[in-house]
Amino acid sequence: MTKNNSNDEAIAKIEAALYSAGRPLKIEDLIRASGTESRTKTYEILNELMKKTKSAFKALEIVTLPDGSYVFQLKPEYSSTIKRYASKPILPNATLKTLSYIAYMQPISSKQLVETRGSGVYEHLKELRQLDFITHQNVGRLKIYNTTEKFQKYFGIQGDVENLKQRLFSKVRKTAKMSETNSSPEIITKLN
């Protein structure tokens, strides 16, 4: 096999791994997938793939996450556009509600989460930690939870925690106003 064919094969294998994984992959995973056994060569291929993806696709990208892993994903600005076409959300609604509560109330203790969200929160926390969307610190017997940079990057959130809280609050207020507006005609109709 010629060097060019070998390089094309390694590129194809990394593309396939990133596409099919549906989650971030560490460099070690990509080295194994490429079959090159060379960290330098794999980085070169990744840089080449990132450039090609940027020029070939408008809504897709390969990005390096803060933990050094790589992911092939939809650009955050297109998330709302494709929501109705997505087949299965990454998180069940209950887990997503727990995540949004953590994002809004952070830092928040496990005790507060259980009081607010119920005992099912432990399963949610386990799933959110596996996805690296949250982190915790032990303070005595309590665990204090915060969202991670990966959470912000995945959901396309810019800025610090206070900015995030303001944006979440304005979104909740907007949603509440919309539901009031939508339910008002129904109430009026029922009263008449």
Side-chain angles (χ1 to χ4, degrees):
M1 190 181 281
T2 67
K3 184 175 180 162
N4 199 23
N5 285 346
S6 172
N7 199 31
D8 287 346
E9 184 72 19
I11 290 169
K13 287 178 178 180
I14 290 176
E15 280 178 10
L18 286 168
Y19 177 79
S20 63
R23 63 179 171 79
L25 295 175
K26 300 212 176 289
I27 190 67
E28 292 77 15
D29 298 324
L30 295 170
I31 292 168
R32 277 192 301 278
S34 71
T36 63
E37 297 182 18
S38 166
R39 184 175 292 269
T40 305
K41 185 68 177 168
T42 304
Y43 278 126
E44 288 173 10
I45 291 170
L46 279 166
N47 286 328
E48 184 179 330
L49 272 174
M50 290 168 92
K51 287 177 189 172
K52 282 182 180 179
T53 303
K54 188 177 258 185
S55 66
F57 297 107
K58 302 298 181 220
L60 301 173
E61 64 184 351
I62 297 174
V63 293
T64 310
L65 298 177
D67 67 355
S69 60
Y70 292 84
V71 65
F72 183 62
Q73 67 181 19
L74 183 69
K75 289 181 180 175
E77 60 265 28
Y78 295 102
S79 296
S80 61
T81 305
I82 60 92
K83 197 177 282 187
R84 65 177 159 245
Y85 304 111
S87 60
K88 182 182 174 202
I90 188 169
L91 295 170
N93 278 343
T95 307
L96 196 55
K97 285 180 183 180
T98 299
L99 178 59
S100 63
Y101 193 76
I102 292 169
Y104 185 69
M105 300 301 289
Q106 66 184 311
I108 186 167
S109 71
S110 51
K111 181 181 177 187
Q112 291 170 297
L113 283 167
V114 171
E115 288 171 356
T116 306
R117 299 284 304 139
S119 61
V121 80
Y122 293 115
E123 193 61 36
H124 305 165
L125 293 172
K126 179 181 175 186
E127 190 172 359
L128 293 170
R129 280 193 310 266
Q130 286 174 342
L131 289 169
D132 196 28
F133 285 165
I134 61 170
T135 185
H136 73 274
Q137 293 177 329
N138 292 328
V139 178
R141 298 171 100 190
L142 289 177
K143 290 183 178 181
I144 306 297
Y145 290 93
N146 287 296
T147 57
T148 62
E149 197 172 324
K150 180 179 175 186
F151 158 80
Q152 289 186 319
K153 188 141 187 137
Y154 184 85
F155 287 99
I157 299 167
Q158 304 290 322
D160 63 358
V161 171
E162 288 308 313
N163 181 25
L164 169 63
K165 287 181 180 184
Q166 286 177 336
R167 289 179 60 200
L168 284 171
F169 183 73
S170 67
K171 191 101 166 165
V172 167
R173 192 171 50 220
K174 185 178 173 183
T175 304
K177 282 182 183 178
M178 285 175 56
S179 67
E180 283 175 13
T181 306
N182 291 343
S183 63
S184 295
E186 218 175 274
I187 293 169
I188 293 168
T189 307
K190 287 180 182 176
L191 291 175
N192 291 335

